[in-house]
Amino acid sequence: MREWLPADHLVWFLLETIEVLDTSEFDRRRRRGGVGAAGYDPRMLLGLLIYAYCKGIRSSRQIERLCSTDVAFRVLCAQDVPDHCTIARFRPRARTRSPGCSRRYC
């Protein structure tokens, strides 16, 4: 996937930044099994939301669609497309758990 986007693309910076963030609170609440499929990686969902917000995209349905059609979104989600319900359910958790994230910005 490194060949899909230029080296200075925002996605690469975002992926590196999320790797150094303390996401332990997200990991504690992550669904790991049980009935149905395991949940998506919360860092991936957080990256999708941040990138979408940077691009001015707020709609969970549009984010889902872009995960299938847009190269940058495909890189962020590693071609594992979360549905719009998953994105919408994650949004309030990201808003309250992200360090330095206030309602004004998220």
Side-chain angles (χ1 to χ4, degrees):
M1 286 200 236
R2 286 268 175 208
E3 294 111 29
W4 291 5
L5 296 170
D8 62 345
H9 197 279
L10 175 61
V11 166
W12 304 124
F13 171 75
L14 187 57
L15 287 171
E16 290 174 7
T17 302
I18 289 175
E19 283 301 314
V20 297
L21 288 177
D22 177 12
T23 58
S24 57
E25 185 65 28
F26 291 117
D27 292 332
R28 270 196 290 280
R29 297 178 47 89
R30 180 179 180 188
R31 183 174 169 201
R32 300 203 186 274
V35 178
Y40 290 97
D41 183 350
R43 290 173 300 193
M44 180 268 288
L45 293 170
L46 181 63
L48 280 177
L49 284 179
I50 293 171
Y51 185 71
Y53 291 167
C54 287
K55 294 295 187 177
I57 300 164
R58 298 263 193 244
S59 165
S60 298
R61 289 179 190 270
Q62 190 172 2
I63 295 170
E64 176 187 9
R65 198 173 314 112
L66 288 167
C67 286
S68 297
T69 60
D70 184 272
V71 172
F73 280 89
R74 289 178 68 188
V75 168
L76 276 168
C77 68
Q79 300 190 66
D80 192 13
V81 180
D83 62 282
H84 63 274
C85 292
T86 300
I87 296 166
R89 281 192 306 261
F90 181 77
R91 191 182 309 256
R93 282 191 289 154
R95 194 177 284 146
T96 59
R97 305 262 190 266
S98 298
C101 184
S102 68
R103 186 170 284 268
R104 188 174 107 195
Y105 298 110
C106 295

